[in-house]
Amino acid sequence: MSPTRILVTGGAGFIGSHYVRTLLGSLGPGDVHITVLDSLTYAASTANLDEVRHLDSFRFFAGDICDEPLVNDLMATHDQVVHFAAESHVDRSILSPAEFVRTNVLGTQILLDAALRHEVRTFIHVSTDEVYGSIATGSSAETHPVSPNSPYAASKASSDLIALSYHRTHGFDVRVTRCSNNYGHRQFPEKVIPLFVTNLLDGRQVPLYGDGLHVRDWLHIDDHVRGIELVRTGGRPGEVYNIGGGTELSNRDLTDLLLASCGASPEMIEYVVDRKGHDRRYSVDWSKIHNELGYTPAKNFADGLAETVAWYRDNRDWWEPLKTRAELLAKTC
Ligand code: NAD
């Protein structure tokens, strides 16, 4: 049987590149060819794909998901799409929302249109728990109405709705995943865990928003990638699947764990003015993917965090240039 040809968008970013390395690695399914389409924004790292670059089953295209002719050409030779490409940082969406609407909403629609036109078999749209908005108690199931608060979350909720509309209108096989906060190695050092770890490794303070009592569920990228694969290979068309990690922590508790991992004291915390509109708590109910597809998060959080901290300690070459890039960008925003 010929291999399934998968177009992976955003495959030079944190989660997309982990997905590609996993599928093309020794424990991958072995029957897939992958093309990455990535416009290499500030958040990308081509080094994330070094491990797979030499493989015959891998191709890379530097390009924008909003480039209709390019997307149309690429789509013609693919069986499936796994769509990660996005502007992904909430803080940046507050400062410059236009790029979030362009990439996350328009880009998704352009991909869907081309995929429909070329009769692509399956389109996996990777989304986020942030589309549900803040939830004080309990957990959001897939039937929970979307109620996004930040421009980032609103752009992702919009793209989810557009993706699902292609199923309802055209019967196109679209599947949406909504995961909680990812962590692991190769995450861009603007996101809280790598930002705090790299600051601490440099002997700098960590900026904790507000009272630090905002709560997030933490999902290791290995578990996320496994969840996406279960949905790609066994999910149902037109369905949404939440993917959770099973470890809820306040940002303050997370910070304490990071301080301990880096041998730093609580004086290294700098309490800063809260993010505008900062959602208090996210929590997803992932019983659907568990019951239908057998998903359970496998990574113990303490182990995953220790491995992540160790990776940043050992890989300054990877993150130092990206951190400089992030800091320059923050100054120009
Ligand atoms: P990331 O910012 O690390 O990577 C995004 C990638 O998309 C980058 O390589 C970038 O160059 C590429 N990209 C951006 N705009 C593009 C465009 N117009 N055309 C082509 N490529 C473009 O993001 P990530 O953390 O890996 O997130 C991947 C997906 O998972 C996103 O859709 C995000 O919304 C979702 N998600 C992430 C998290 C998380 O905790 N990181 C949580 C929930 C959902």
Side-chain angles (χ1 to χ4, degrees):
M1 219 166 68
S2 51
T4 303
R5 300 162 304 172
I6 309 177
L7 179 63
V8 174
T9 70
F14 166 50
I15 307 169
S17 69
H18 195 64
Y19 180 78
V20 172
R21 290 191 308 271
T22 305
L23 257 67
L24 296 181
S26 56
L27 299 177
D31 60 351
V32 296
H33 280 191
I34 289 182
T35 306
V36 165
L37 172 62
D38 195 299
S39 61
L40 301 178
T41 68
Y42 78 96
S45 165
T46 51
N48 287 349
L49 295 168
D50 283 350
E51 243 173 80
V52 295
R53 203 174 296 288
H54 63 285
L55 298 173
D56 291 338
S57 51
F58 175 78
R59 285 192 310 161
F60 179 82
F61 278 85
D64 194 323
I65 59 168
C66 297
D67 180 341
E68 289 190 60
L70 172 66
V71 167
N72 188 56
D73 282 356
L74 278 178
M75 208 59 84
T77 53
H78 289 86
D79 306 305
Q80 297 187 326
V81 175
V82 184
H83 174 35
F84 294 94
E87 288 293 335
S88 68
H89 192 42
V90 177
D91 292 302
R92 283 176 49 76
S93 80
I94 295 167
L95 296 168
S96 2
E99 197 53 30
F100 286 71
V101 174
R102 193 187 83 89
T103 287
N104 300 1
V105 185
L106 182 62
T108 300
Q109 180 266 316
I110 287 170
L111 288 166
L112 285 160
D113 234 32
L116 178 70
R117 192 177 314 121
H118 290 288
E119 299 180 357
V120 160
R121 283 207 307 267
T122 310
F123 190 110
I124 308 295
H125 175 64
V126 178
S127 188
T128 168
D129 60 0
E130 300 200 22
V131 301
Y132 297 119
S134 202
I135 182 165
T137 55
S139 301
S140 311
E142 291 82 353
T143 48
H144 194 283
V146 292
S147 183
N149 292 315
S150 71
Y152 163 70
S155 70
K156 292 298 290 187
S158 306
S159 61
D160 290 15
L161 295 178
I162 290 170
L164 292 169
S165 81
Y166 274 68
H167 172 70
R168 287 175 198 140
T169 306
H170 303 287
F172 184 45
D173 180 358
V174 174
R175 307 170 194 180
V176 174
T177 62
R178 292 181 180 150
C179 65
S180 52
N181 270 38
N182 285 225
Y183 74 101
H185 64 298
R186 296 180 182 274
Q187 187 169 29
F188 193 83
E190 66 187 349
K191 304 281 169 41
V192 64
I193 290 182
L195 173 69
F196 282 19
V197 171
T198 55
N199 273 16
L200 293 170
L201 291 175
D202 277 346
R204 293 164 63 182
Q205 283 191 301
V206 297
L208 186 59
Y209 278 137
D211 60 8
L213 297 182
H214 306 83
V215 172
R216 299 292 183 263
D217 171 65
W218 288 97
L219 169 66
H220 191 269
I221 37 166
D222 285 349
D223 286 327
H224 188 195
V225 161
R226 199 160 36 79
I228 292 170
E229 260 309 88
L230 287 169
V231 173
R232 181 183 73 86
T233 53
R236 287 181 294 134
E239 293 293 320
V240 177
Y241 293 91
N242 289 341
I243 305 176
T247 302
E248 266 189 41
L249 285 174
S250 71
N251 287 344
R252 176 61 214 245
D253 288 343
L254 172 69
T255 305
D256 286 343
L257 292 174
L258 294 173
L259 292 172
S261 311
C262 296
S265 66
E267 289 83 69
M268 296 308 280
I269 301 177
E270 179 193 10
Y271 286 91
V272 296
V273 177
D274 206 355
R275 170 194 281 162
K276 281 186 184 174
H278 201 172
D279 281 337
R280 204 66 181 161
R281 175 173 176 266
Y282 301 130
S283 176
V284 283
D285 173 351
W286 44 271
S287 51
K288 179 173 170 179
I289 190 171
H290 174 71
N291 294 335
E292 277 189 27
L293 303 173
Y295 168 84
T296 304
K299 193 74 172 185
N300 169 280
F301 184 73
D303 294 344
L305 197 66
E307 286 166 22
T308 302
V309 172
W311 189 88
Y312 281 93
R313 188 174 280 126
D314 294 343
N315 289 277
R316 275 184 174 272
D317 287 358
W318 182 87
W319 61 261
E320 277 181 340
L322 300 185
K323 185 127 178 163
T324 308
R325 196 192 289 174
E327 287 173 354
L328 281 173
L329 216 78
K331 279 187 196 141
T332 56
C333 261

